[in-house]
Amino acid sequence: MEKVVINNRLELARPEGFRVMDHEELKQAYGIDYDCMWGMRDEERHIILSVFWKVSNKLISKLGTAKLVAEQSEKSMRRRYRKAGYYSDGLFESEVAGNKAWGYDYGYVPDGPAQKCETMVFKDGTCCYTILYHTRDKCAQANRAIYEEILASATLR
């Protein structure tokens, strides 16, 4: 299994079948043009995994905990997909790359197939990472192990 390095710091596994997405494809997928984003996808298994990161100054970093960022992200997703049947069980605590992380599972039904997703947020010093996982609801159970394998592979260099 190949490893990829994001932001010269976060290392993740890139399982067979995944290809790295270019910036234009990420812009189209997320509807934003943000310099600090990276993603990979497996078209056959209908999985997209992306990472966004933000480096802040020390003061803002202390005020913006991973939990607060995850809460704000969940509220944003709830607003964005409320007309598409958005649902979530709320926040949970976890660990990513040896750091305390906060995440939430959610789903929605856009104009296409129903989606099952998870977002994880963790901090490394003044850098905050957000990992987004998207798959089709009908593939979610089969794809869960792949996603967990990628998360378990996360290390910081």
Side-chain angles (χ1 to χ4, degrees):
M1 184 177 312
E2 184 180 329
K3 296 276 188 166
V4 294
V5 179
I6 301 151
N7 188 33
N8 296 316
R9 181 91 171 116
L10 176 63
E11 188 174 278
L12 293 176
R14 184 174 69 99
E16 192 169 321
F18 279 83
R19 67 170 178 77
V20 175
M21 299 167 71
D22 66 27
H23 190 76
E24 287 301 315
E25 190 175 12
L26 285 164
K27 279 176 28 180
Q28 183 179 358
Y30 292 101
I32 61 170
D33 187 2
Y34 185 65
D35 289 336
C36 300
M37 63 181 173
W38 176 93
M40 65 180 169
R41 77 182 314 155
D42 182 325
E43 283 95 351
E44 188 173 309
R45 291 181 282 203
H46 305 288
I47 300 171
I48 295 177
L49 185 126
S50 57
V51 179
F52 291 72
W53 64 95
K54 169 87 173 149
V55 178
S56 300
N57 67 41
K58 288 182 181 180
L59 176 62
I60 291 174
S61 180
K62 287 183 188 239
L63 295 173
T65 65
K67 183 177 182 183
L68 180 62
V69 172
E71 287 171 342
Q72 293 303 313
S73 174
E74 195 279 329
K75 286 179 187 175
S76 176
M77 291 296 183
R78 189 177 338 127
R79 280 191 306 272
R80 183 176 184 177
Y81 296 116
R82 83 174 173 269
K83 292 182 180 176
Y86 177 88
Y87 63 91
S88 174
D89 292 331
L91 260 53
F92 61 86
E93 189 175 340
S94 188
E95 185 177 296
V96 176
N99 291 282
K100 181 191 263 186
W102 289 90
Y104 58 96
D105 293 314
Y106 62 100
Y108 63 96
V109 183
D111 291 337
Q115 301 293 302
K116 181 72 176 155
C117 311
E118 185 170 294
T119 295
M120 296 295 295
V121 178
F122 71 97
K123 293 181 74 176
D124 172 40
T126 60
C127 185
C128 184
Y129 290 95
T130 302
I131 299 174
L132 296 97
Y133 163 73
H134 300 264
T135 191
R136 290 186 179 176
D137 189 51
K138 70 178 184 177
C139 307
Q141 189 172 6
N143 289 341
R144 184 72 193 182
I146 297 163
Y147 169 63
E148 288 177 358
E149 179 181 10
I150 295 168
L151 274 186
S153 77
T155 58
L156 293 166
R157 301 171 128 203

